[in-house]
Amino acid sequence: MFHTVRRWWGNERGKVTTRLFLFEFVVVVVGVLTAQALASWVTDRVEQRAVNEEDERVRYEIGRTRQVARVWSASVPCLVERVESIARQASTNGPVDVAELKPPRFIGYTVEPLSPDMNREFHDRFGNERVDNYTVVASASATLLNTYRDVRTGWNRFALLDPALGRPSAADRTTVRDVAVQLRSQLDLIRTAAEMIETTAAGLDIPPLKSDADFGAVEPVTNCNEVWRAGRIWRE
């Protein structure tokens, strides 16, 4: 067997066959490695595009949220003033200004949180501070939205003072005053959330987005009369 191999190797055909085998082996290995590298590059490009698109989405939503936060910052003092006025009216047996009992229209906008997988990608590509600030705005926007819904629900109880529903009782007046105290606290929470959104978005260098095709134009009021005249906390 050994002598047969030596004779095969000693002639030119054996050497040519070996060289061809080695060449084909190298070609196959290089081809496999190239294919793997190309597949990895394509995958990375797809992931990078997905991350960039998600980052654009988050920054867009923060821009809208910042503008809504400005709307609330301008209108909260007006709402607190109206709530306190209703509480004072509830403390007496005098006539009630029914027009003050109706709540204005509110507005909210939230930043959708990142998925767990995307959150890890963001931390890897953008760093902890930037992603943490995104989370702060998302959390504050959710707080603002949920709290203003509570305010609207509570404000509806001011209808207990509406004489069209019957003469308000002492219990009704007490309930309205209790609700007013609660609403004032909730409005203060909204003010704090709005300030957090404004400060954090400014640190991220994301300007307020005032309007778009889906949402329309939203501007802060310049005085309280605009709130009660239009029946909403923003102006268009």
Side-chain angles (χ1 to χ4, degrees), residues 93-146:
N93 291 322
V96 175
D97 187 346
V98 177
E100 292 191 2
L101 303 179
K102 184 179 179 180
R105 291 165 58 196
F106 298 147
I107 190 172
Y109 196 92
T110 57
V111 179
E112 187 70 21
L114 298 170
S115 68
D117 289 342
M118 192 59 71
N119 186 63
R120 286 190 293 269
E121 287 289 337
F122 268 52
H123 276 284
D124 291 340
R125 295 177 186 268
F126 301 131
N128 295 337
E129 181 178 0
R130 179 167 165 179
V131 180
D132 289 346
N133 284 332
Y134 283 175
T135 302
V136 167
V137 178
S139 177
S141 68
T143 296
L144 193 155
L145 180 68
N146 292 331

Side-chain angles (χ1 to χ4, degrees), residues 39-193:
S40 177
W41 179 82
V42 170
T43 299
D44 186 66
R45 292 283 294 180
V46 170
E47 291 177 352
Q48 181 63 54
R49 184 168 61 250
V51 169
N52 289 341
E53 290 175 352
E54 184 70 353
D55 188 52
E56 290 176 2
R57 189 272 303 172
V58 171
R59 296 181 73 85
Y60 167 83
E61 291 182 355
I62 289 177
R64 289 302 286 162
T65 299
R66 184 179 181 185
Q67 184 66 7
V68 169
R70 289 185 167 191
V71 167
W72 277 101
S73 294
S75 63
V76 160
C78 304
L79 301 176
V80 170
E81 182 182 48
R82 177 58 57 87
V83 166
E84 291 176 345
S85 172
I86 293 172
R88 287 192 296 271
Q89 294 179 63
S91 67
T92 70
N93 291 322
V96 175
D97 187 346
V98 177
E100 292 191 2
L101 303 179
K102 184 179 179 180
R105 291 165 58 196
F106 298 147
I107 190 172
Y109 196 92
T110 57
V111 179
E112 187 70 21
L114 298 170
S115 68
D117 289 342
M118 192 59 71
N119 186 63
R120 286 190 293 269
E121 287 289 337
F122 268 52
H123 276 284
D124 291 340
R125 295 177 186 268
F126 301 131
N128 295 337
E129 181 178 0
R130 179 167 165 179
V131 180
D132 289 346
N133 284 332
Y134 283 175
T135 302
V136 167
V137 178
S139 177
S141 68
T143 296
L144 193 155
L145 180 68
N146 292 331
T147 305
Y148 100 64
R149 287 172 175 169
D150 292 337
V151 169
R152 184 170 56 194
T153 299
W155 199 301
N156 289 336
R157 301 186 69 188
F158 287 161
L160 289 170
L161 296 183
D162 190 346
L165 301 178
R167 182 179 178 82
S169 66
D172 292 335
R173 294 178 180 277
T174 298
T175 297
V176 167
R177 293 185 65 190
D178 290 342
V179 169
V181 171
Q182 185 178 27
L183 293 187
R184 193 168 60 173
S185 176
Q186 290 169 336
L187 289 168
D188 187 61
L189 178 58
I190 289 175
R191 179 189 57 78
T192 301

